[in-house]
Amino acid sequence: MSNPLRDMEKPDVIFCIGTNMTECHPVAATRLKKAIRNGAKMIVADPRHIGLSDMADINLQLRVGSDAALLLGMAHVIQREGLVDAGFIADRTAEAEAFLEHVKEFTPEWASEICGVDPALIEEAALLYGRAERGAIYYTLGITEHICGVDNVQSLCNLALMTGNIGREGTGINPMRGQNNIQGAGDVGAIPNNYPGFQPVTDPANQAKFAKAWGREVDLELGITKVRALEQAGDQIRAMLIDGENTLVTDPDRKHCEHALKSLDFLVVCDLFLTETAALADVVFPASGFGETDGTQTNTERRVQRLRKAVPPAGESKPDWWIVSQLAQRMGFKGFEYDSAKEVFNELCSLSGTYAGLNWDRIEFGEYQWPVPEDGHPGTPRLHEDSFINGRGIFKMIRYRDPAETIDDDYPVWLTTGRRLESYHSRTQTGRSSGIDYLLPEELLEVHPDDVSAWGIRDGGWVNMSSRRGSVRIRVKATKRSPRGTVFCSFSFNDVPVNVLTGSGYDPVTETAELKVCTVKIEVETETGGVAAD
């Protein structure tokens, strides 16, 4: 996030796209509600009618996978109406002239043909955001889990750069992280192209720095993503360690994923519970929970926080850092002789410029948002206030691309997936709560009432939903939250393994799976247990 969470109360125009915030980030969403009560206007773009839609001044119910077209249409209007911030563009951006010429061809009428939103609504949204004194953008996985996820994010950056809505209070580009320490995981180097502190692994200076710190040679090439690791399982990769992730439930194309894990010679899983993935493992290390562990977490606004053990670990469970450290030592690796989470964190601070001004003792009682580049620095709640780290903000020339699959006669229905307020992710933890089971006892397929009638299915009845990769049996819920021709469900329930269906493509840059859109067919379950075509 470029801006702190407290800035969510400060915009005069809020643009939420691909984020079902009231269900996925309900605490943060209260800040947006406060901003609206104080007079802020809100634009919401989502394929479904979500909770935010009820609060929106402009609701853009677009076709799944068409975000880039909508954003290009908005950029066209902002350029055409002269709502660009010429001073900001001249002082702080690059490639602006080419970009402003580029977007002239993407009219609201063109965008409407793709995304299904009325051209007048696209114009209205663009004018509202373009005229804002403080316009803030919020997004989540509804934008990124597409084959064009990078294009979508860069399109949002283009809007902010055009209008100068970045580097100031109540503005910015603000991704809401999907889990409590996702930001921290990236910070410490749990991504294949960076050392801790987002330092590129291909930079010779970084290679020398980490080789010296760790007392050994370091890899000189980029690592691989999980997508590639699963593709190589059983071939180039013979063993795998999965820590804190229920891969079998949350990853796309479940059959492919299960085959990959079973192809390994040896699988190790670290987790709190015996998940579906852990059940496939040769060895399971029981990990301790957040209340049983000392450590740190870095949240969605880059706030570094102490995590303090409240109770002893259950049974023989241990902190994840201890498990990895002991495993590495017993495999003969040097440099893993840690005695505490404090030692691990202080090493991070010594090697990462964004954490350089921090240490374990300083964060004991203080609150800091990185970058904290030196001792005594107060932290950086708001990024890009005076300049961009790499010099200038660069406009990107984006064009629309269809999803990896589009509807046809064989698979005529769009499926999009997401999370629900009552449960969390793969339900590894929330699925063990009887209270949550009472609120959400099963997964349901949300279908527009007109489609329920047209397809010959019934509210509360069972259907088989199939894609080119597999099929699941699921109960129908008639609701106008889903538009005609699009159905929705979460991936949380293992007895409705929705990710059997997904996985038709990946973003070429990040290799993020297109979990948010695939094409399916809906077949009515007959009394004999078979199916009849819709």
Side-chain angles (χ1 to χ4, degrees):
M1 289 181 71
S2 61
N3 289 53
L5 288 170
R6 66 175 181 268
D7 271 16
M8 296 178 77
E9 302 175 18
K10 304 297 178 61
D12 44 39
V13 174
I14 301 159
F15 183 20
C16 292
I17 180 167
T19 175
N20 187 6
M21 201 183 298
T22 54
E23 293 200 55
C24 300
H25 300 91
V27 178
T30 61
R31 294 181 181 271
L32 291 189
K33 295 174 185 177
K34 185 174 180 179
I36 292 168
R37 286 198 302 270
N38 291 336
K41 303 294 185 181
M42 185 162 68
I43 306 161
V44 172
D46 198 280
R48 301 164 63 225
H49 189 95
I50 57 175
L52 290 177
S53 303
D54 293 327
M55 298 179 277
D57 296 273
I58 301 174
N59 187 44
L60 308 173
Q61 200 163 350
L62 73 167
R63 197 212 73 204
V64 290
S66 65
D67 306 88
L70 171 70
L71 298 173
L72 282 166
M74 290 179 64
H76 171 95
V77 174
I78 291 170
Q79 184 277 335
R80 186 194 70 201
E81 298 299 318
L83 298 177
V84 299
D85 187 330
F88 182 91
I89 287 174
D91 293 342
R92 298 192 55 186
T93 71
E95 308 296 337
E97 185 176 351
F99 173 78
L100 294 175
E101 184 65 30
H102 170 71
V103 297
K104 288 181 179 179
E105 66 178 280
F106 304 110
T107 65
E109 290 73 21
W110 168 86
S112 178
E113 287 292 320
I114 296 170
C115 69
V117 177
D118 190 306
L121 270 183
I122 297 174
E123 293 225 13
E124 188 179 346
L127 294 174
L128 183 60
Y129 179 77
R131 290 169 177 162
E133 176 64 27
R134 296 183 306 279
I137 294 171
Y138 297 92
Y139 72 90
T140 49
L141 301 178
I143 282 293
T144 57
E145 288 184 341
H146 295 272
I147 63 167
C148 56
V150 169
D151 288 351
N152 289 341
V153 174
Q154 289 180 330
S155 295
L156 293 174
C157 293
N158 286 341
L159 290 184
L161 292 175
M162 290 178 77
T163 56
N165 276 308
I166 195 162
R168 295 184 290 114
E169 182 181 71
T171 65
I173 306 290
N174 299 289
M176 307 294 291
R177 298 303 187 193
Q179 300 191 50
N180 63 321
N181 201 26
I182 286 292
Q183 183 64 59
D187 294 353
V188 300
I191 41 181
N193 58 335
N194 289 331
Y195 293 118
F198 302 99
Q199 301 171 82
V201 299
T202 52
D203 186 325
N206 292 335
Q207 294 166 0
K209 173 183 177 178
F210 282 90
K212 180 179 179 181
W214 292 339
R216 56 178 294 124
E217 291 185 1
V218 296
D219 288 338
L220 303 181
E221 298 178 354
L222 293 174
I224 61 172
T225 64
K226 184 173 62 173
V227 170
R228 298 290 166 240
L230 290 173
E231 287 181 353
Q232 296 176 16
D235 187 7
Q236 296 99 313
I237 293 176
R238 310 298 303 180
M240 190 177 290
L241 169 67
I242 297 176
D243 191 346
E245 180 181 272
N246 194 0
T247 307
L248 195 62
V249 175
T250 60
D251 273 40
D253 198 348
R254 177 166 173 155
K255 290 180 180 178
H256 163 72
C257 180
E258 185 171 7
H259 173 76
L261 296 179
K262 288 181 175 180
S263 298
L264 296 164
D265 294 341
F266 197 65
L267 175 62
V268 181
V269 170
C270 303
D271 217 313
L272 303 178
F273 300 100
L274 192 67
T275 65
E276 291 79 10
T277 304
L280 297 178
D282 298 282
V283 172
V284 178
F285 290 129
S288 54
F290 80 95
E292 305 165 338
T293 305
D294 285 321
T296 66
Q297 293 180 342
T298 305
N299 75 350
T300 192
E301 62 173 354
R302 297 167 285 105
R303 184 181 299 278
V304 185
Q305 303 170 99
R306 272 292 311 275
L307 190 66
R308 296 168 178 84
K309 180 168 66 175
V311 296
E316 296 181 83
S317 64
K318 298 289 186 181
D320 297 84
W321 70 263
W322 186 91
I323 295 170
V324 175
S325 171
Q326 290 294 315
L327 185 61
Q329 290 181 61
R330 297 178 196 206
M331 292 174 69
F333 292 109
K334 303 296 182 182
F336 285 84
E337 299 80 18
Y338 301 109
D339 291 323
S340 66
K342 176 179 180 178
E343 289 187 11
V344 178
F345 182 74
N346 284 344
E347 180 186 295
L348 168 67
C349 297
S350 72
L351 294 172
S352 167
T354 56
Y355 282 71
L358 297 177
N359 59 60
W360 184 267
D361 295 326
R362 192 178 183 200
I363 65 169
E364 173 69 25
F365 300 109
E367 296 185 356
Y368 303 94
Q369 290 167 264
W370 66 252
V372 187
E374 59 192 8
D375 289 341
H377 193 282
T380 312
R382 197 171 292 109
L383 298 178
H384 320 306
E385 286 190 305
D386 300 314
S387 63
F388 293 106
I389 293 173
N390 296 322
R392 287 178 172 264
I394 303 173
F395 284 98
K396 296 292 185 179
M397 312 304 163
I398 303 299
R399 288 189 173 274
Y400 170 75
R401 289 182 288 148
D402 273 334
E405 294 178 347
T406 56
I407 55 173
D408 56 23
D409 291 342
D410 293 326
Y411 297 93
V413 179
W414 296 104
L415 167 67
T416 187
T417 67
R419 299 178 182 178
R420 297 193 184 277
L421 175 64
E422 298 87 353
S423 66
Y424 185 71
H425 212 53
S426 67
R427 300 177 80 243
T428 296
Q429 297 175 78
T430 55
R432 289 170 166 79
S433 165
S434 59
I436 290 175
D437 272 347
Y438 174 78
L439 293 172
L440 187 70
E442 64 178 337
E443 186 51 60
L444 300 171
L445 183 67
E446 296 185 0
V447 184
H448 192 281
D450 290 348
D451 286 338
V452 169
S453 176
W455 298 345
I457 60 181
R458 64 181 179 85
D459 187 16
W462 292 90
V463 296
N464 282 337
M465 178 168 56
S466 305
S467 75
R468 291 173 173 83
R469 287 156 295 282
S471 180
V472 298
R473 179 175 181 263
I474 188 169
R475 193 189 298 273
V476 171
K477 178 182 179 180
T479 172
K480 291 184 178 179
R481 288 173 61 111
S482 287
R484 290 210 62 179
T486 298
V487 296
F488 169 87
C489 58
S490 83
F491 52 84
S492 297
F493 286 77
N494 184 53
D495 60 349
V496 185
V498 172
N499 281 329
V500 165
L501 310 177
T502 58
S504 54
Y506 299 85
D507 187 285
V509 178
T510 62
E511 295 187 355
T512 299
E514 191 161 60
L515 287 161
K516 287 293 177 280
V517 53
C518 74
T519 60
V520 297
K521 60 183 176 182
I522 309 295
E523 298 173 304
V524 183
E525 186 176 65
T526 66
E527 293 182 1
T528 59
V531 297
D534 62 15

